[in-house]
Amino acid sequence: MSLTASPAKKRKGIYKFVVHEDVVFHATTIKQAFSQEDTFLEINTAGDITVKGSREKGYAWDGCTPKVNCFDLCLLGVPDGRKLVNTGKPITYYASMVHDVLCQYRHEIPITRKQADDVFLYYLGDFQLRYLYYGFVRLFSIFSDMSERLKALISNKT
């Protein structure tokens, strides 16, 4: 058996995590029902959020962000935390999944970034650094919202 070597290439569009089954987050504070055939998100009026990982090739996300590749030597940014013994997944795995899907569809639901951030905090559970992570998520949300408003303002002027 022989292997063919090829030069290293940066991978773009490849996510850190992929889930291939539906994951349900029960009784969140999001009460706006939402369901569309072609999305990865479903919310019922009780606040249960379903990430539909069974669709297509699964639901993919990048974990806690932002992260920056530093000269292909290491990643600098927000770590996903230690792996839990009972799941084998990083401590922020489920919190980052539900946060990413809510932010992805937040203009269609509609919900605020703060509501998505609060669900993130709730699903961090008893993680000791949860308030630090929540603070960074809130700060990143503020900058992201300002960036969106600036882009909208610029596009309206042209």
Side-chain angles (χ1 to χ4, degrees), residues 29-104:
T29 55
I30 310 291
K31 304 295 183 196
Q32 294 91 333
F34 176 80
S35 181
Q36 289 181 355
E37 278 296 311
D38 60 341
T39 65
F40 288 98
L41 175 65
E42 186 174 294
I43 305 173
N44 66 24
T45 53
D48 296 336
I49 297 172
T50 302
V51 178
K52 297 188 280 185
S54 60
R55 283 193 69 244
E56 299 172 9
K57 296 178 183 174
Y59 181 71
W61 74 106
D62 55 0
C64 292
T65 50
K67 288 182 179 71
V68 176
N69 184 335
C70 184
F71 305 110
D72 287 333
L73 296 174
C74 63
L75 284 177
L76 297 177
V78 182
D80 295 304
R82 66 177 168 80
K83 287 188 178 181
L84 297 173
V85 174
N86 60 337
T87 65
K89 295 173 176 36
I91 197 163
T92 62
Y93 181 86
Y94 292 106
S96 67
M97 178 197 309
V98 72
H99 186 260
D100 278 18
V101 77
L102 287 173
C103 288
Q104 181 178 348

Side-chain angles (χ1 to χ4, degrees), residues 12 28 55-56 122 128 132:
K12 294 188 179 188
T28 68
R55 283 193 69 244
E56 299 172 9
Y122 178 76
Q128 289 181 345
L132 179 65

